[in-house]
Amino acid sequence: MTTPAGDSVPITSNDDVVRVRQLVRAAAASAGMSLVDQTKIVTAASELARNTFVHGGGGSARVESVVNARGRAGVRLVFTDSGGGIPDVAQALTEGWTSGGGLGLGLPGARRLADEFELETEVGKGTTVTVTKWIR
């Protein structure tokens, strides 16, 4: 389970989703994040890893320790897939809307749990979601 920070981890199965959660928890704890904030970033990672696997057909996650220009430390997660992309981003970010059988909390939940959220998508080409949680 040891993956150097910044390396990409494949997401091709449910086991990989679990592995991503474990890596994110370890990175958040190592960075000195509170237990509450660890739980938030791990929950966001779980939702995004599952979306990468289920809706993107698989892809990868990158876990990074980051420091901003003001010296504030945090953890950044980047999820990338080459799936079908998201045709209606506004709809996909609406709480309760689902394209499958889920609860519709994945993307909007991850956005709410992170301090920073970026989504880049192109229909037919894939999606990249980047979230950052800063240490308080």
Side-chain angles (χ1 to χ4, degrees):
M1 183 175 76
T2 57
T3 300
D7 282 0
S8 289
V9 177
I11 302 173
T12 60
S13 69
N14 282 318
D15 289 342
D16 293 334
V17 172
V18 172
R19 189 167 61 134
V20 167
R21 283 197 311 251
Q22 293 168 339
L23 290 169
V24 171
R25 177 153 321 271
S30 175
M33 203 169 278
S34 73
L35 186 56
V36 169
D37 283 343
Q38 286 179 44
T39 301
K40 288 178 180 180
I41 194 68
V42 169
T43 302
S46 183
E47 295 293 341
L48 295 171
R50 182 147 316 283
N51 280 0
T52 299
F53 174 56
V54 172
H55 300 292
S60 65
R62 193 170 69 239
V63 181
E64 306 171 342
S65 293
V66 294
V67 177
N68 69 10
R70 295 183 311 262
R72 191 172 188 195
V75 175
R76 178 171 295 138
L77 313 175
V78 181
F79 293 86
T80 305
D81 69 61
S82 299
I86 302 171
D88 187 337
V89 172
Q91 188 176 43
L93 289 171
T94 301
E95 297 229 12
W97 184 85
T98 179
S99 62
L103 298 174
L105 300 175
L107 285 175
R111 180 173 63 175
R112 187 177 57 256
L113 293 166
D115 294 323
E116 295 179 10
F117 179 94
E118 297 173 33
L119 186 145
E120 297 175 25
T121 188
E122 187 174 343
V123 174
K125 302 245 176 169
T127 301
T128 298
V129 179
T130 304
V131 294
T132 305
K133 188 73 177 167
W134 297 107
I135 296 170
R136 301 191 192 300

